[in-house]
Amino acid sequence: MHPAYSVIIFTCASGAGYGLLGWLALSAIRGSALERPFTLGLIAFGVAFALITAGLLASTSHLGRPERAWRAFSQWRTSWLSREGVMAVATYGVGGLYALLWLWGDVGGGWPLALLGLLTLVCVLATLWCTGMIYASLKTIRAWHHDLVAPLYVLFGVVTGRLLLNAIVAVVGSGLSTTAIWVTLLLLLTAWIAKAAYWSNIDTARRTHTAGDATGLGRFGVVRPLDPPHTRANFVMREMGYEVARRHADRLRQIAALLLFIAPALLTLLMLVASPELVILLALAAVVSAAAGVAVERWLFFAEAEHVVTLYYGRDAA
Amino acid sequence: MTTLPPPSKKKLGLVIDLDTCVGCQACATSCKEWNTQSAISGPLNDEDPYGADPHGTWLNRVHSYEVGEGETGRTVHFPRSCLHCEEPACVTVCPTGASYKRAEDGIVLVNPDTCIGCKLCSWACPYGAREYDYTQGVMKKCTLCVDRIYNETFAPEDRVPACVKACPTGARHFGDLGDVDSAVSKLVASRDGYDLLPEMGYKPVNKYLAPRPKAAPVVAASAPAARPIAVPAEETGTTTARFFAWADKLLTR
């Protein structure tokens, strides 16, 4: 599949933004948001909503008619893309209210904050899930129609959001707790294992459809393209027949694993023994590394995915 | 509405006879000609038509394949267009309702006035039936010439899709596949018409008829398979292209 930059930016940036918002929501549920440090909240909510908005705006540039994007809220009954749009708006509403209450609200016992936090968390997870399901629901793309795709979208949002929160807490907060560091390490490890399992799974899974099935001509023997229907690549080939990055898939997977999991994990581990000033540097480095890593991972997610339609264009099996 | 209507009694579609198709491309060109002037699907724009990388929006494509080896080997011409599936995923994934399946006859259409050009429907289709119009920013697909088949200003014999009308060998048949007594249904029954990728579950309405067994073996010469056309490299000279050329070099090392 052709990796559209706008969609890569969207899923990476919004994913991290939703993840960060989710962690902020969780702090209310756990009760630790009762102190509600203003500067930290302002920066953290600001970064979260800025990333979410930047990603959503980037995604509209993928559209042929972005001025009609509002129409995408209507078909939530059947379309995961529409559901994602609806959930994104809902998250703005609920999450925005939660942010306002956190920053300026006069809440005594804290339960309104906890309730809104819970709703925000649900919205965040649902939005990330919808993003994953846009891809996971497509039966035509074997590597996407996989049980781990939607959970991985959620997990990567949560992990990159956590790294962002760590950096913000390190810079403007009261320093990172040991628990926060161990939670981060556990999440990075989980994400790495899940992604490695996904990669090994799509590599070994059988390609079930053949050119013989696609044309129905398999009964006569092997089907080979003789004359293409067009002299230059058409839309279908440009969009679905993208193969450039596949040559480097193994190397790019190693790079993604290094930048997205290994480097952030080592940097986070070092925070256990580093001075507060160094922790700031380590946390920021982890964010930069994971951002680059998730971009490579997302690029591969598209570039490695084979579409069934390529069977008509010379692929043996998909 | 992208929620599918209840299954219609009438299932308009095509039956394509791979035994008689000669790969002349008349169906593809007449489709382009009719539909580019159609208010429903047109215009079907072309990009860079006289330049180095011409491509454009077509609703029907004719492949030619070599099948089998040696004496049993044969050339099969294979027209490919929308199959107007009974359970089309291209419709249900549409976020705007621009893609829809007609309740009355099962034709799958795109409303060009509400399509946002997200291309998700083209990803959901295993048959490559939908082609994006880069100029207009909306998706295009076969309309089964809905503006011909019900057109009362036409003589009855002309009320068929342009591709069917143009086919010089009678390889394309149009009719109601929901009616077991229709000519197309009988043809499908008599020739064991089949679905493309039935295991994917989209229940295509269009049917294909397999080439008949060969009469007598011929002396065959083995020819090398044609190379599939390559997706062109992204434009050269841009900063992105230079970046990827650099990354390619670095990763190849």
Side-chain angles (χ1 to χ4, degrees), chain A residues 238-259:
Chain A
R238 282 163 207 266
E239 186 78 359
M240 264 71 83
Y242 190 87
E243 301 211 353
V244 176
R246 282 186 206 152
R247 273 179 289 147
H248 304 306
D250 285 342
R251 189 70 72 87
L252 285 168
R253 282 182 186 182
Q254 288 164 10
I255 291 172
L258 182 72
L259 291 174

Side-chain angles (χ1 to χ4, degrees), chain A residues 6 26 46 52 54 56 111 136 144 160 186 220 249 268 278 288 317-318:
Chain A
S6 49
L26 192 66
I52 292 170
L56 289 173
W111 70 263
W144 290 0
T160 49
L186 189 68
F220 300 113
T268 307
L278 196 57
V288 172

Side-chain angles (χ1 to χ4, degrees), chain B residues 188-199:
Chain B
V188 170
S190 67
R191 294 274 307 278
D192 273 338
Y194 64 89
D195 290 346
L196 305 184
L197 296 168
E199 70 278 14

Side-chain angles (χ1 to χ4, degrees), chain A residues 49 56 64 103-104 109 113 131 144-145 147 173 190 193 209 221 232 238 264 294 300 310 314 317:
Chain A
F49 282 111
L56 289 173
L103 293 170
W104 292 288
L113 199 66
T131 307
W144 290 0
H145 191 60
D147 289 343
T190 313
I193 291 170
H209 309 292
R232 303 291 298 182
R238 282 163 207 266
V294 82
L300 269 176
T310 53

Side-chain angles (χ1 to χ4, degrees), chain A residues 22-35 98 102 109-111 113-118 121 162 165-166 169 177-181 183:
Chain A
W23 285 107
L24 290 167
L26 192 66
S27 71
I29 301 162
R30 286 173 51 239
S32 54
L34 285 178
E35 297 161 24
Y98 172 66
W102 163 303
W111 70 263
L113 199 66
L115 182 66
L116 265 179
L118 181 66
L121 186 64
R162 181 73 223 187
L165 182 69
N166 286 354
V169 169
S177 69
T178 315
T179 321
I181 291 171
V183 166

Side-chain angles (χ1 to χ4, degrees), chain B:
Chain B
M1 276 280 283
T2 55
T3 309
L4 297 177
S8 58
K9 219 173 130 282
K10 199 171 171 186
K11 290 173 183 142
L12 295 185
L14 299 172
V15 177
I16 295 168
D17 189 347
L18 299 180
D19 193 62
T20 40
C21 176
V22 292
C24 70
Q25 309 279 340
C27 56
T29 46
S30 70
C31 164
K32 176 93 167 173
E33 187 183 10
W34 174 264
N35 283 294
T36 200
Q37 59 78 49
S38 157
I40 293 156
S41 53
L44 301 180
N45 290 293
D46 293 321
E47 304 291 317
D48 196 17
Y50 303 104
D53 188 21
H55 59 102
T57 320
W58 292 64
L59 311 182
N60 184 16
R61 301 284 193 177
V62 185
H63 297 252
S64 295
Y65 296 108
E66 253 182 346
V67 190
E69 303 287 342
E71 285 186 2
T72 58
R74 60 177 81 211
T75 300
V76 180
H77 305 291
F78 184 89
R80 180 175 58 80
S81 59
C82 174
L83 308 174
H84 297 280
C85 297
E86 286 183 55
E87 289 177 20
C90 59
V91 168
T92 50
V93 299
C94 174
T96 68
S99 276
Y100 62 103
K101 184 168 177 70
R102 284 163 44 119
E104 62 270 39
D105 52 18
I107 297 177
V108 176
L109 291 176
V110 179
N111 180 348
D113 297 326
T114 54
C115 172
I116 58 172
C118 72
K119 310 176 193 77
L120 190 56
C121 55
S122 68
W123 295 4
C125 173
Y127 308 109
R130 290 173 171 242
E131 295 204 10
Y132 181 69
D133 190 318
Y134 290 91
T135 309
Q136 261 186 302
V138 298
M139 196 57 74
K140 301 287 170 72
K141 68 174 296 301
C142 163
T143 67
L144 210 61
C145 285
V146 70
D147 47 355
R148 289 181 63 96
I149 58 178
Y150 293 113
N151 196 329
E152 290 182 0
T153 64
F154 280 17
E157 65 270 26
D158 288 334
R159 290 178 204 165
V160 293
C163 59
V164 174
K165 187 75 191 168
C167 182
T169 62
R172 301 179 74 95
H173 306 266
F174 164 72
D176 180 4
L177 288 143
D179 172 7
V180 288
D181 295 323
S182 70
V184 280
S185 292
K186 286 178 177 161
L187 183 63
V188 170
S190 67
R191 294 274 307 278
D192 273 338
Y194 64 89
D195 290 346
L196 305 184
L197 296 168
E199 70 278 14
M200 295 206 75
Y202 301 126
K203 298 187 186 166
V205 169
N206 284 14
K207 300 286 182 260
Y208 281 77
L209 307 179
R212 292 183 173 90
K214 290 177 84 166
V218 289
V219 182
S222 68
R227 287 165 63 86
I229 32 178
V231 175
E234 311 220 359
E235 281 177 75
T236 51
T238 63
T239 316
T240 357
R242 281 201 300 275
F243 168 74
F244 284 118
W246 170 80
D248 192 66
K249 220 170 103 186
L250 195 73
L251 289 161
T252 310
R253 211 176 276 166

Side-chain angles (χ1 to χ4, degrees), chain A residues 261-276:
Chain A
F261 310 119
I262 301 168
L266 289 176
L267 292 165
T268 307
L269 198 62
L270 280 176
M271 290 179 202
L272 285 170
V273 293
S275 65

